[in-house]
Amino acid sequence: MRVRTTAAVASLVLLTGCGAADMTQQASPFAGAQGSKTVTLSVQSWVGAQANVAVAQYLLEHELGYRVDTVQVDEVPAWDALSQGRVDAILEDWGHPEQEQRYVDDKKTITRGGELGVTGHIGWYVPTYFAQQHPDVTNWKNLNKYAGLMRTAESGGKGQLMDGSPSYVTNDKALVANLDLDYQVVFAGSEAAQITQIRQFAKEKKPFLTYWYAPQWLFKKVPMTEVKLPAYKEGCDADPAKVACAYPHTPLEKYLNSDFARSGGKAAAFLKKFRWTTEDQNEVALMIADQKLTPEQAAEKWVEGHESTWRAWLS
């Protein structure tokens, strides 16, 4: 997800069928092999990013004859890996101004790969069934009124604002403090854990307040309504400690290692042209996360039904 402050450093993990290898200090074993046609893609932990990589990998392998290696890496470390050539491309970035300035503008080791075609947005959400019962909950000024109903065993006597992975750096703690809200930020631990908790709350028709983001397939299963925070204005989140505004709407972008962008041949050209819609991404994400297809199976199914879309990426 989008970050504005320093993210916790996480190791890079090579995704293979036989376990995980520490990628913190090494390149992919496939990257740059002499004479090989290989591409190394960074894949973030949320399922929308996995959907991008699944389809790109399927087409690179089945249409262009490349071997594709995927590396799981958190957002900020991914920029370091990309700059160093340990990965070739990031297909979904939610906006990292500091890294863009350092690597794209100053060092020029990373090149913009164009927009993904999807606009991302982070916000606070309540279940629609609760918003319909209490319409005023959708204005942040009324959240304290409902703090007691949002209380959990983990929130220490305050209302719970549920976040996902601690590696998704958010403005939520600052927002709670600066808006004087009687809530405690509680991390579920991962996107999967957060989804499990949301679905359990929904099953029991309990109220909850959660950090969440679009695009996301879960909205189809658990309708949620956004809580209006103070309007976002350019620069209102510049100082992480003083943030008191909503998250922006962010056109998601792709980034390529600059050497790969210049000499990556058909693979680099394909990734620059890779552009699809929110609906496309959600379709694949739903198959992976809800229907329990493997990423390859989901990608194959999407490719079979959308040839008119992906053929343009190969031209």
Side-chain angles (χ1 to χ4, degrees):
M1 295 302 100
R2 175 184 176 83
V3 299
R4 286 290 183 183
T5 58
T6 303
V9 176
S11 62
L12 284 68
V13 178
L14 171 63
L15 302 182
T16 68
C18 56
D22 181 9
M23 292 291 290
T24 307
Q25 300 298 331
Q26 64 184 31
S28 159
F30 312 127
Q34 187 66 34
S36 64
K37 291 178 64 177
T38 64
V39 179
T40 306
L41 300 177
S42 171
V43 54
Q44 286 82 9
S45 61
W46 57 91
V47 72
Q50 294 167 6
N52 304 325
V53 172
V55 170
Q57 178 175 357
Y58 187 89
L59 290 169
L60 283 165
E61 291 179 342
H62 292 271
E63 295 294 327
L64 295 178
Y66 284 82
R67 178 171 184 169
V68 178
D69 175 30
T70 60
V71 177
Q72 183 173 310
V73 53
D74 285 337
E75 294 172 90
V76 171
W79 280 80
D80 300 328
L82 187 62
S83 174
Q84 296 163 15
R86 289 185 282 144
V87 299
D88 294 317
I90 295 171
L91 299 186
E92 180 173 312
D93 183 80
W94 285 63
H96 291 77
E98 293 180 10
Q99 282 69 33
E100 291 169 34
Q101 181 66 45
R102 180 182 305 125
Y103 294 125
V104 178
D105 300 330
D106 296 341
K107 292 187 176 182
K108 303 188 187 305
T109 53
I110 293 177
T111 298
R112 297 182 189 278
E115 292 187 1
L116 176 64
V118 177
T119 296
H121 176 59
I122 294 169
W124 291 1
Y125 291 85
V126 294
T128 298
Y129 56 77
F130 188 73
Q132 289 173 341
Q133 295 170 349
H134 307 279
D136 63 336
V137 75
T138 59
N139 187 316
W140 71 269
K141 295 179 180 179
N142 300 316
L143 284 176
N144 281 347
K145 176 180 175 182
Y146 298 99
L149 295 176
M150 307 292 188
R151 188 178 302 138
T152 69
E154 292 78 25
S155 62
K158 298 184 177 183
Q160 175 177 279
L161 170 56
M162 181 167 53
D163 275 44
S165 168
S167 69
Y168 300 165
V169 181
T170 78
N171 299 328
D172 285 2
K173 288 186 178 181
L175 281 166
V176 166
N178 296 330
L179 297 178
D180 196 24
L181 297 176
D182 189 26
Y183 284 78
Q184 177 71 37
V185 176
V186 177
F187 290 97
S190 66
E191 182 188 66
Q194 191 176 10
I195 288 172
T196 297
Q197 186 64 76
I198 289 172
R199 298 188 86 162
Q200 184 61 36
F201 281 141
K203 182 179 180 181
E204 299 172 6
K205 293 295 183 185
K206 289 184 176 180
F208 63 85
L209 175 66
T210 187
Y211 161 109
W212 204 232
Y213 37 85
Q216 229 294 335
W217 64 270
L218 186 64
F219 285 109
K220 294 180 180 292
K221 298 294 182 177
V222 181
M224 288 182 275
T225 301
E226 187 170 6
V227 175
K228 293 181 179 179
L229 295 169
Y232 176 84
K233 296 180 181 179
E234 189 67 34
C236 70
D237 53 357
D239 185 340
K242 297 180 180 179
V243 176
C245 61
Y247 293 87
H249 289 79
T250 306
L252 306 184
E253 293 194 49
K254 299 167 294 176
Y255 288 90
L256 279 59
N257 171 272
S258 293
D259 289 339
F260 173 74
R262 288 189 294 267
S263 59
K266 291 183 179 180
F270 163 79
L271 292 173
K272 290 174 185 176
K273 292 179 180 179
F274 185 105
R275 182 183 175 94
W276 63 352
T277 65
T278 295
E279 290 72 26
D280 290 325
Q281 188 188 85
N282 278 339
E283 182 179 344
V284 178
L286 186 67
M287 287 189 276
I288 295 171
D290 189 61
Q291 299 172 21
K292 305 305 180 184
L293 273 65
T294 67
E296 183 177 13
Q297 290 170 336
E300 180 179 13
K301 189 171 181 180
W302 184 88
V303 165
E304 288 175 350
H306 298 81
E307 184 170 355
S308 61
T309 298
W310 59 260
R311 278 292 172 195
W313 307 340
L314 300 175
S315 61

